[in-house]
Amino acid sequence: MSRISATRAVRLVAKREITTRLHTRSFVVSTAVLLLLLIGYVALEAFLAGSTATTKVALTGQAQGIAQQLQLAGKAGGRTIEVVTVPTEQDGLAEVRSGDVDALVSGSASRLRVAAKSTVDQQLQRALDGIVQQQVLDAQLSAADLDPVSVHQAVSAAHVEVQPLEARDPHAGQKLVVGVVVAVLLYLSIITYGMLVAQGVVEEKSSRVVELLLSTVRPWHLLLGKVLGLGLVGLTQLAILAAAGLVAALATGVLASISGIAASAVVWGVVWYLLGFLLYAMIYGAAGSLVSRQEDTQSVVAPVNIALVIGFIAGLNLITQSADSTATKVVSLIPLLSPILMPARIATGSASPWEIVTSVVLTTALIALVTWLGARIYRNGVLRVGSRLKLSEALRG
């Protein structure tokens, strides 16, 4: 049987993988589950953002006189304090227990009491402490025959001189969330579809289908077609998740202020997914060619999975602590980890242009090396059935 051209062979194998995988139940179910998790996470962020920005407080008795002071104190701390009045302390306690209000404030302005269901919000407590302290101070000043208004004006006019070395990014928290979400999605996509490459190689090898395929296509073309096909399936799923996540985030207002950055993060995520998947898929495919049974697949890909998991966890911890620290920069430049960590750093705005270029160059160079080694291992191991083939033998063959 004559061999077909390289381009046609790769295209046919890739098309077969795409057609087969896109119609599988596992692809539909996994995409639906990830969509629900992603949209649920966005909804949770929107809920937390709204709930933490507003505190509802009930006032009763003499404490009703501090309503304006309490609202001004909350505003100064970046918090909206909604004030309601209740006729009696018992009514207020009932509303606290039912969750209708976050706290009940009673007593006089100089001796306030606050009741909460479990714990008192720290910002609310600081605001109430400030009101009580001001009342006590006013009483002391009056006793000393001093004008409280004049003293407060003098105190308010005194400020420490702040000299920031760098401008504070008001959207740093949102950027970090985007970066972490991108890193998690890339990690899940690369490890999931990389494993599918290894399992597909073993399946074809154990069923002897590969022997028929290799009568018309070269081993290298078969591996490349499989990698490209599964890579496009993974990219399709990633695109669905990214589009749904962006729409949900913009609809809920979670990323309204950094919509441009979020869209840029999606673009960079696609670029790094392609680089990362090509890198790891070749490794997974070569590893899969060393065994002939699905039960043995985990044993040959375990070192790759362990390195990827450890690197992902360590890198993510570094990014959440400080995205521009020296340790984070070094780890994100390691080619095996760059496809996951560099797009996260780009989203946070901590990656400089030279770091991005360097990581792309290093990752591309490693892809070239891994592709050459992977093709050699695959060629020498894909037709070997029986016991597990040693890596040294596959490289020598």
Side-chain angles (χ1 to χ4, degrees):
M1 189 178 293
S2 61
R3 293 185 181 274
I4 59 179
S5 66
T7 303
R8 186 161 181 260
V10 172
R11 187 173 66 249
L12 287 174
V13 175
K15 183 179 179 181
R16 169 177 169 267
E17 292 293 339
I18 293 171
T19 304
T20 303
R21 298 292 179 179
L22 283 179
H23 292 87
T24 59
R25 181 182 177 85
S26 60
F27 176 82
V28 176
V29 171
S30 64
T31 303
V33 170
L34 288 173
L35 267 175
L36 288 174
L37 290 174
L38 183 60
I39 294 174
Y41 176 74
V42 172
L44 178 63
E45 285 289 330
F47 172 77
L48 291 177
S51 62
T52 56
T54 303
T55 300
K56 192 172 183 179
V57 179
L59 303 178
T60 187
Q62 296 182 44
Q64 296 181 31
I66 68 165
Q68 187 175 4
Q69 288 175 277
L70 191 56
Q71 289 174 324
L72 291 174
K75 187 176 181 181
R79 173 71 59 87
T80 299
I81 297 181
E82 183 182 345
V83 175
V84 296
T85 59
V86 290
T88 66
E89 189 170 346
Q90 287 71 27
D91 293 330
L93 292 174
E95 292 201 22
V96 171
R97 291 191 184 95
S98 65
D100 292 333
V101 298
D102 297 302
L104 167 70
V105 179
S106 58
S108 63
S110 60
R111 299 192 63 179
L112 294 174
R113 297 190 304 273
V114 57
K117 197 168 187 178
S118 55
T119 58
V120 178
D121 179 78
Q122 291 298 309
Q123 277 192 294
L124 174 61
Q125 184 169 345
R126 283 194 294 269
L128 292 171
D129 284 342
I131 292 172
V132 171
Q133 290 163 7
Q134 182 175 329
Q135 291 294 323
V136 173
L137 178 60
D138 288 348
Q140 295 290 330
L141 291 174
S142 297
D145 206 18
L146 295 174
D147 180 17
V149 176
S150 300
V151 174
H152 284 308
Q153 288 176 344
V155 171
S156 299
H159 297 287
V160 65
E161 183 179 344
V162 179
Q163 184 180 4
L165 299 180
E166 294 181 0
R168 178 181 174 275
D169 185 356
H171 307 302
Q174 291 176 301
K175 291 179 181 179
L176 179 60
V177 169
V178 173
V180 170
V181 170
V182 169
V184 171
L185 288 178
L186 288 177
Y187 165 76
L188 291 176
S189 295
I190 289 173
I191 199 169
T192 299
Y193 286 93
M195 278 296 300
L196 285 178
V197 172
Q199 291 169 357
V201 169
V202 177
E203 181 183 356
E204 291 175 350
K205 187 175 177 180
S206 60
S207 64
R208 313 302 287 266
V209 171
V210 70
E211 296 178 7
L212 296 175
L213 294 173
L214 291 180
S215 64
T216 55
V217 300
R218 298 183 183 279
W220 157 242
H221 301 154
L222 180 59
L223 178 59
L224 182 59
K226 182 177 291 293
V227 168
L228 292 178
L230 285 172
L232 289 174
V233 173
L235 183 60
T236 301
Q237 186 179 64
L238 197 62
I240 293 172
L241 295 173
L246 274 178
V247 171
L250 294 175
T252 56
V254 173
L255 300 179
S257 56
I258 57 166
S259 57
I261 294 173
S264 174
V266 170
V267 174
W268 276 111
V270 170
V271 172
W272 279 105
Y273 167 78
L274 295 174
L275 291 173
F277 182 78
L278 187 58
L279 172 63
Y280 277 96
M282 286 296 179
I283 299 176
Y284 278 110
S289 68
L290 298 177
V291 295
S292 303
R293 301 183 307 166
Q294 289 290 358
E295 309 90 84
D296 299 326
T297 307
Q298 285 293 342
S299 64
V300 292
V301 300
V304 185
N305 288 341
I306 291 172
L308 188 56
V309 170
I310 292 176
F312 168 71
I313 294 174
L316 204 60
N317 283 331
L318 288 172
I319 288 175
T320 52
Q321 291 173 14
S322 178
D324 57 355
S325 67
T326 302
T328 308
K329 291 179 181 179
V330 172
V331 172
S332 66
L333 288 174
I334 299 175
L336 286 172
L337 300 178
S338 293
I340 296 173
L341 303 182
M342 187 54 71
R345 289 192 60 220
I346 293 173
T348 62
S350 61
S352 59
W354 75 265
E355 290 174 328
I356 298 174
V357 172
T358 302
S359 62
V360 170
V361 171
L362 291 176
T363 304
T364 304
L366 184 60
I367 288 173
L369 176 61
V370 167
T371 300
W372 179 76
L373 289 173
R376 183 181 181 88
I377 295 169
Y378 180 84
R379 183 182 68 245
N380 297 329
V382 73
L383 290 177
R384 296 279 293 273
V385 295
S387 60
R388 173 178 171 177
L389 181 65
K390 293 183 178 179
L391 180 61
S392 57
E393 294 178 6
L395 288 171
R396 283 200 309 266

